[in-house]
Structures are given as C-alpha cells and as structure tokens.
Amino acid sequence: VPVFPWHSLVPFLAPTQSD
Amino acid sequence: PPPTSSTVVPPSLPPYFIKGSIIQLADGELKRVEDLKTEDFIQSAEISSELKIDSSTVERIEGSHTSPNFAVVQFSVGEHRAQVSVEVLVEYPFFVFGQGWSSCCPDRTTQLLELPCTKLSVGDVCISLTLKNLR
C-alpha cells in the first residue's frame, strides 16, 4: 500500500516577496 | 499592487486524494486522507524545518478558458496578501481551515474520488504551504 507524505496534499503557493 | 504569480496544476488527479489513501504526518503517524483534520496539517508544519502553513483566502472562482473541466481559483496568500491564481480540475480538493476538503464541484469529487467534500466558495480560507524564512 503506498504511503504519501502529508505535504503532497497541500498546494504549494509561494508568492514572490516584494520586500 | 501586490505581486502576482500563476500556477498550473497537472491535468490529472493525484492518487492520494482517493478515499482510503494512507497519508503520513510529519511525526510518522498514518491517517486516511478523509480523516485528516486542520490540526494534522498545522502540527506537521510545526515539525517541518522547511515548510510553513500559510492562509490562502479564495478571492475569485471562475471557469477556465482552456476547458470546461477546469476552474481558475484566485487566492490571496499569507500576510502579504499576494495574489496567486491556480488552474485546477473542478474536482480538485483543497483543505479549508476548520472545515475540511472542498472543491469547485464537490459532486464530481465525491463521484470520482469518494472523498467527502463541500463546495469551495469565495471567502474560504485554505491551507497552503510556503517555505520558512522566505526572504
């Protein structure tokens, strides 16, 4: 049975930081 | 104006959203995808050395110009309220704080994945990830 890491379920939204 | 970026999620549903999929939390605990709670994500992110949880508020949901099977969801991410739009299949589930899995078309999500799901709406606050110490 495959086991998936928790973070694969969460979209990775990394905005460009302006400061 | 806030910075804007755009992300396209691959046009297939990942296998880990299917009901019964086994998910490993950061502390090693195993849970089924449909049993995950907001605290599981928060606690896992606290353990993680690289990732942190950000709040992403749904600002707009509209149909994709590419295909009727897709939707474009615009988020306001983190304390900087950066605008990020994501093009996803309408059945693609997001985890809403305190609520659980939600998608643009929960009927399709339940039909295709058997994952219990509610309707994603403008104003919902979704769990997303960014890198720690990103600056």
Side-chain angles (χ1 to χ4, degrees):
Chain A
V1 178
V3 176
F4 302 98
W6 68 276
H7 51 78
S8 58
L9 300 168
V10 187
F12 188 82
L13 302 180
T16 313
Q17 299 292 311
S18 55
D19 51 314
Chain B
T4 300
S5 65
S6 184
T7 309
V8 177
V9 171
S12 60
L13 277 178
Y16 37 74
F17 288 126
I18 299 170
K19 183 184 178 184
S21 294
I22 305 297
I23 309 302
Q24 184 167 40
L25 305 181
D27 64 0
E29 185 185 353
L30 300 178
K31 280 199 167 190
R32 293 190 180 88
V33 64
E34 66 271 21
D35 294 334
L36 292 172
K37 300 279 185 285
T38 303
E39 294 73 33
D40 294 325
F41 291 103
I42 292 174
Q43 287 166 10
S44 286
E46 282 174 355
I47 294 172
S48 169
S49 56
E50 295 180 347
L51 300 171
K52 70 166 183 160
I53 296 273
D54 246 344
S55 302
S56 291
T57 305
V58 178
E59 298 223 318
R60 194 190 308 174
I61 301 173
E62 53 189 31
S64 167
H65 300 294
T66 318
S67 158
N69 297 329
F70 285 82
V72 177
V73 183
Q74 185 177 328
F75 292 101
S76 169
V77 182
E79 57 182 313
H80 292 83
R81 299 184 173 279
Q83 302 296 300
V84 177
S85 43
V86 184
E87 186 167 3
V88 290
L89 285 163
V90 293
E91 60 267 26
Y92 191 95
F94 294 93
F95 201 94
V96 175
F97 274 94
Q99 180 175 315
W101 296 111
S102 303
S103 75
C104 299
C105 188
D107 288 346
R108 271 184 70 88
T109 308
T110 308
Q111 179 190 348
L112 292 168
L113 304 170
E114 298 183 48
L115 184 69
C117 201
T118 58
K119 173 94 175 151
L120 186 70
S121 307
V122 170
D124 283 348
V125 182
C126 297
I127 291 178
S128 64
L129 291 172
T130 56
L131 287 174
K132 278 181 175 165
N133 303 318
L134 181 73
R135 59 183 67 213

